[in-house]
Amino acid sequence: DDIVVTPLGHPTLASSSPQPISAQTGSTLASSLMHAPAQGSTATSHATTTARTAGSRVLKTAAASVSQNQQQAVQGRVALIGVPGLEWSDLDRSRTPALWQLVGQGSSASLSTRAVPPPDRGITCPVAGWLTVSAGQRAGTAGKGCPAPPAPQTAGQGATVPNWPDLTAYQSETGYNAQIGTLGQLVTDGGGKVAAIGPGAAIGAADKTGNVAKYAPTLDALG
C-alpha cells in the first residue's frame, strides 16, 4: 500500500467539508490502515478508488485555498493512502478488524473509479489511478495491460518518476488533457511539503516536473 503524506510542515490544504482535516484524523487513518491485516488477493477491476476521489476533492479545495489566500494555512497533516483493488467485500470484522472499525467509526461512502483505462480492457489500473490523484482529473498511460508503478529514480531524500515527460504528453491524447503533477505543485507552491511512500504514491505526489521532495520505498524508511 502506498501513502502520500502532505504537508509535513505548514499545511495549506483544507478538506472538502467546512471543517479542516485534523492532525488526529490523518494520523488515525494512517495508523488504522497500516496496521490492518494483509489481504490474500487484491487483483480486482477497481484500483485506488478512495485515493483518486479524495485526491480530486483535495485538488479543488487546494486550488481555491491557494488562489484566495496563500498565507492562510490549516494546521495538521493529511495522509492519503491508496490500496489497489480494495473493495467493500474485502472488509470483514474478523479478517480486517482495523479497517472494519475505521469504517464503522468514521465517515464512509461508495465511490466510482474514474480514470482512463488501457485500450485492451475496461478497468482502472494502479498507475492510472495515481495519475488521476495527481491531476484531479481522469488520466492514464499509453500501452496495453496494467504494469506496476515504476520505481522512482532517487536522488538524496527526493525522487523522480521515470518517463514523466511521456506521461505528461500522453494526457493530451486521452480527450481529458489532465494536468498531472497538479496536486504536488499546489502544495509546494503554497509553502507546504510532500512526502511519498512507495512508487505509486510518488506518482500521485510528484510536482509538474515529476519530482518528489521526500521519498521512501517503505514507511519505516521515511524516517
Side-chain angles (χ1 to χ4, degrees):
D1 303 343
D2 291 356
I3 307 173
V4 176
V5 181
T6 172
L8 294 178
H10 301 287
T12 58
L13 300 185
S15 69
S16 56
S17 61
Q19 297 298 322
I21 300 175
S22 68
Q24 180 179 2
T25 300
S27 61
T28 299
L29 174 63
S31 176
S32 298
L33 289 178
M34 289 306 297
H35 289 85
Q39 297 299 301
S41 173
T42 57
T44 69
S45 61
H46 300 290
T48 59
T49 304
T50 302
R52 285 195 301 281
T53 305
S56 178
R57 292 179 177 176
V58 167
L59 287 179
K60 293 177 182 178
T61 54
S65 176
V66 172
S67 62
Q68 292 174 7
N69 188 349
Q70 291 189 343
Q71 282 70 46
Q72 184 177 4
V74 177
Q75 298 303 315
R77 298 181 181 183
V78 176
L80 178 62
I81 304 174
V83 185
L86 183 67
E87 296 184 327
W88 284 115
S89 58
D90 296 322
L91 272 63
D92 181 85
R93 185 190 301 273
S94 299
R95 291 185 292 107
T96 58
L99 284 174
W100 186 271
Q101 184 179 19
L102 179 66
V103 171
Q105 295 181 352
S107 299
S108 59
S110 295
L111 307 174
S112 62
T113 57
R114 295 297 179 91
V116 176
D120 60 331
R121 58 187 72 183
I123 63 175
T124 297
C125 297
V127 174
W130 281 111
L131 286 172
T132 300
V133 169
S134 172
Q137 188 175 359
R138 296 190 193 190
T141 61
K144 299 180 179 180
C146 279
Q153 300 168 347
T154 58
Q157 288 189 326
T160 300
V161 177
N163 302 317
W164 188 262
D166 294 336
L167 290 172
T168 301
Y170 176 72
Q171 306 314 313
S172 62
E173 303 177 20
T174 66
Y176 297 99
N177 198 29
Q179 304 298 306
I180 60 175
T182 299
L183 175 59
Q185 195 69 55
L186 280 173
V187 175
T188 54
D189 287 350
K193 298 180 181 179
V194 180
I197 304 171
I203 295 174
D207 61 19
K208 289 292 186 69
T209 64
N211 296 316
V212 182
K214 190 169 186 178
Y215 172 78
T218 65
L219 181 61
D220 291 337
L222 185 63

